[in-house]
Each structure stands twice: as C-alpha cells, then as structure tokens.
Amino acid sequence: MDFEFATAQRIIFGPGKLKELPKLTEGLGQRAALICGSSNSRVEPALKTLRECGANPSAFNIDSEPTTERIESMAKQAREQGCDFVVAFGGGSVIDAGKAIAALITNTRNLMDYLEVIGSGEPLTNEPAPCIAIPTTAGTGSEVTRNAVLLSKEHGVKVSMRHPKMLPTIAVVDPELTLSMPPEVTASTGLDAFIQLLEAFISKKANPLTDGICREGLTRVSRSLYKAYINGNDIDARTDMAFGSLCGGLALANAGLGVIHGFAGPIGGMFDAPHGMVCASLLHAAAEANHTAMLERDPDNPALAKLKEAAQIMLQNDNATIEQALDRLKGLAAQMFVPGLEEFGIIESDFPAIVEKAKNASSMKGNPIPLTDTELTIILEESFTPPVDGNSTLYI
C-alpha cells in the first residue's frame, strides 16, 4: 500500500469545454507558445481564441513525431519570442512537444542532459513554464503524464524527457474535438488507450488507486472503441474514449507500462512507424507471452488474476477466460485493419537489435514478469504479419 500519485494540477473534462480557454489563460503569462499539428483548420478556433483574449500567441507546428533537434530549436525560438506559457493543442506528439518546450523555456541546458537512456536523465532545475494541454485525439493520455517522448534520429530510438514538474498545469479534455478523427486514427489511438490501461493494470508498479482508474477506463474503452470506429459522430462513444484515454494517462504516469511500450520506443526510433499501430500490432502476441510466462514461471503473480479480471471487463462476462479475450483482441485488430510489423519495413534480421534496445527501455521495467530474449523474439515473430479474423463477431 506504499505508493505515490501525481497528475495535472487541474483537469477539465466534457463536451464543449474548449470554450473555457480564455478564462483558463488568465494569469499564466503574457505570450503563449501555441504548439499544434499541421492542420490549420483544426487549430484555427484555438488560435483565434488566444488572439482575442490577449495571449499574443506564437504558433509552432509539429507535423510528425517530435525530434530532439526540432524540440531544441522550437524552445529556443519560444524563448527569443518572449513566450512565457504554452498551449499544446493536438494529438499525443503535439502535447509531448508542448510539455518539453514548456520545460526548456525555463531550463536552458542541453536537451541531452535531461533525456533518459541516451542522455544524463538529470532533473529539471527550474519550474517549467505553465502548460495547458488540449488533446484532439483519444489515445495517449499525454495531457496527464509527466514525460515527453522524443525521437532521437542520431540514436535511432524514442526516449523520454521525464520529471514530475512536467505534468501540465491544466488538462482540457473536450470529446467534441475528437469527432473529426478518421477511422484509422480512431483505431490506432483507441487501441493505444486500451493497451496503456491493460499494461498499467498488470504492471508490477500498479497500486490500488491506479487499479481503480484502469477498471473504469477498461470498461469505457471496451464498450465504445468499436462504436467510435464505425461511427465517428457518436458523441457518447467519443466521450467514453476520451475519458478512457484520460484514465490511461493517469494510470501509466503512476504505474508504468510494459513490454508492448518497451518495444514501441525502439521500433518507432528505428522505423517510420506510427506509435499506436505499432502497439496494436504487438498487442495479441505480447499479452499471450506474458500470460504464458506467468503460468509457467510465476503462477502466484497477482498480475495473472488481474489479467483475468481485464478479460472479464473486456468481454462484459464474469465467466470470461483470458484465452477468450486474447481471441477477441486478435479479431478486433483484424477488423480494424491493424498491420503486421512487416508493413513498417521491419525484416527478421532486425529482431536482435529491436530486442536489445527494448530490454533497456524504461517501459519494460513495469512488465509483470521478466521475459527472455527468446520470448521477446517470439512476440516479434508472431506480430510480423497482420492478424487474421476467424470470426466476424470478434470485436469489443
């Protein structure tokens, strides 16, 4: 029962909450750095609102995964333009960029000093600039996490800049902002939300508070992911998914993740591969590997019982088995056209390098049981080709 829990100073949730942005910016600073994606039409309402409320925004675009070089350059520009707070409006990559830039506005040492794995991992010296995080997708939960995932092209890996002070000042989660997501983005982000909830639930760093959050998130995502996928205008399903994503962020920030995200960082750094779909490609094989490893080597592991509970939540059946849930996950992935790893340009000779990098990933530390090199390789092998749906009714 010894644990710590931290999150954003303030969370505002609900359809239409973006309209509160002018009030929320009061007292945060004189000039906003608006971090946004490449779609001008989507960000225009936020940009217009910030102009009208006197926030004098400078806009910075993130049109792909944030790289270490791009983040250092944007932070330098933000400082030079006098930006003293950040509004991050977009998907997970945009919000991660916003959190990193908020930290680097006030902490001006080399970015490498603050990065995990490839850098020194040193703590921030100064309080980051205030940051308002406004997600427009439902998947990463980045609006309530204490890290920013950045791509180092030089090292061929994604790593985190992490510190408790990097939690956003305010998280505004408005499900209406997710209505425009196309089905493929709904699938990749929604499956990522599900995976984050599952990995945090069975993590060896889980605690009673994160467990409760995961149970609620798994319930909502399980009942609404496919609904949102087939009907993007279903506001009830979108609200469930936005809340589930928020739960995933709250949980992973305090309980960690596992083998799927342990793989996702190296793969995303080595190949041009979207994070959500990488995770979705690995889901079935990784869950099965954890299940088998615990049965064989650690049958008293409490994560086994939690994995069964997750299956019951997912299938909305108190008698459901883990095997049934694994079959359902494979069917769901097939119906959402989740690719195999081969689609990202990965070949089998890449497996040893991926495994070696994954073993050093910070996310791997939360996996409920250590997996051998052989088990990790089998996960990659079984995720190499797209899943096959043997039953058209296999969806959440």
Side-chain angles (χ1 to χ4, degrees):
M1 290 294 289
D2 293 337
F3 66 90
E4 177 184 340
F5 190 92
T7 191
Q9 294 179 27
R10 187 176 178 192
I11 299 171
I12 299 168
F13 184 95
K17 290 298 184 181
L18 181 63
K19 66 179 180 291
E20 298 186 14
L21 184 57
K23 181 175 62 177
L24 299 176
T25 63
E26 293 176 3
L28 293 186
Q30 300 300 311
R31 188 176 183 85
L34 175 62
I35 317 301
C36 52
S38 57
S39 174
N40 292 330
S41 60
R42 293 196 73 191
V43 77
E44 185 57 36
L47 186 60
K48 181 181 178 182
T49 297
L50 290 172
R51 285 172 177 156
E52 291 175 348
C53 72
N56 307 308
S58 293
F60 300 87
N61 292 98
I62 290 286
D63 54 10
S64 60
E65 306 255 5
T67 65
T68 53
E69 294 85 356
R70 178 77 173 129
I71 292 300
E72 283 198 295
S73 173
M74 290 171 68
K76 183 175 182 291
Q77 292 177 54
R79 290 193 298 267
E80 291 173 346
Q81 294 179 32
C83 297
D84 51 5
F85 73 102
V86 170
V87 177
F89 181 93
S93 293
V94 169
I95 294 177
D96 277 359
K99 291 186 292 185
I101 290 166
L104 294 175
I105 285 175
T106 55
N107 295 271
T108 58
R109 293 169 60 180
N110 189 293
L111 175 57
M112 194 62 66
D113 291 340
Y114 305 116
L115 293 178
E116 296 178 345
V117 182
I118 62 173
S120 304
E122 296 181 18
L124 302 178
T125 305
N126 302 312
E127 194 81 21
C131 178
I132 300 177
I134 308 171
T136 59
T137 61
T140 68
S142 183
E143 67 273 12
V144 287
T145 61
R146 63 182 84 188
N147 69 305
V149 179
L150 308 178
L151 169 63
S152 172
K153 292 183 177 179
E154 177 185 355
H155 298 86
V157 69
K158 289 181 182 178
V159 295
S160 281
M161 179 181 180
R162 188 188 311 271
H163 194 275
K165 292 181 179 179
M166 288 178 63
L167 285 161
T169 312
I170 304 172
V172 181
V173 185
D174 184 342
E176 289 182 356
L177 297 176
T178 69
L179 289 172
S180 61
M181 281 197 299
E184 62 271 19
V185 178
T186 299
S188 63
T189 56
L191 286 166
D192 190 25
F194 176 83
I195 291 164
Q196 290 177 168
L197 289 160
L198 180 63
E199 290 202 307
F201 190 46
I202 65 172
S203 168
K204 62 184 179 184
K205 297 189 286 184
N207 63 65
L209 189 52
T210 60
D211 284 350
I213 291 170
C214 288
R215 289 185 180 101
E216 183 68 21
L218 286 167
T219 298
R220 291 175 180 267
V221 171
S222 294
R223 75 188 183 194
S224 292
L225 173 52
Y226 196 73
K227 291 178 183 177
Y229 176 72
I230 60 175
N231 180 11
N233 292 317
D234 185 335
I235 188 60
D236 291 335
R238 292 296 196 187
T239 299
D240 263 357
M241 291 306 300
F243 188 76
S245 175
L246 174 66
C247 288
L250 292 168
L252 76 87
N254 293 280
L257 291 164
V259 60
I260 296 174
H261 281 82
F263 271 129
I267 291 174
M270 296 168 68
F271 303 91
D272 184 14
H275 173 80
M277 278 306 184
V278 170
C279 291
S281 298
L282 296 162
L283 172 55
H284 178 269
E288 190 170 49
N290 270 334
H291 179 220
T292 301
M294 286 188 285
L295 283 176
E296 292 179 350
R297 300 198 298 274
D298 190 9
D300 294 325
N301 192 315
L304 260 179
K306 292 169 80 173
L307 195 58
K308 183 175 182 180
E309 183 182 354
Q312 294 167 345
I313 293 172
M314 191 183 87
L315 300 179
Q316 301 175 43
N317 179 353
D318 291 343
N319 297 314
T321 66
I322 295 172
E323 290 79 8
Q324 288 171 330
L326 290 172
D327 286 343
R328 183 70 61 94
L329 290 175
K330 183 182 287 187
L332 179 68
Q335 291 201 336
M336 289 185 168
F337 303 101
V338 172
L341 296 178
E342 62 180 346
E343 187 167 312
F344 308 129
I346 298 171
I347 57 178
E348 292 188 22
S349 60
D350 295 317
F351 288 178
I354 295 172
V355 167
E356 197 58 35
K357 288 186 176 184
K359 289 192 298 183
N360 295 320
S362 58
S363 292
M364 196 68 81
K365 298 174 184 177
N367 205 58
I369 186 169
L371 297 176
T372 66
D373 286 14
T374 298
E375 288 168 329
L376 293 172
T377 302
I378 289 173
I379 292 173
L380 296 177
E381 291 173 346
E382 294 185 351
S383 305
F384 193 62
T385 56
V388 177
D389 181 13
N391 185 330
S392 61
T393 63
L394 292 179
Y395 52 81
I396 294 179

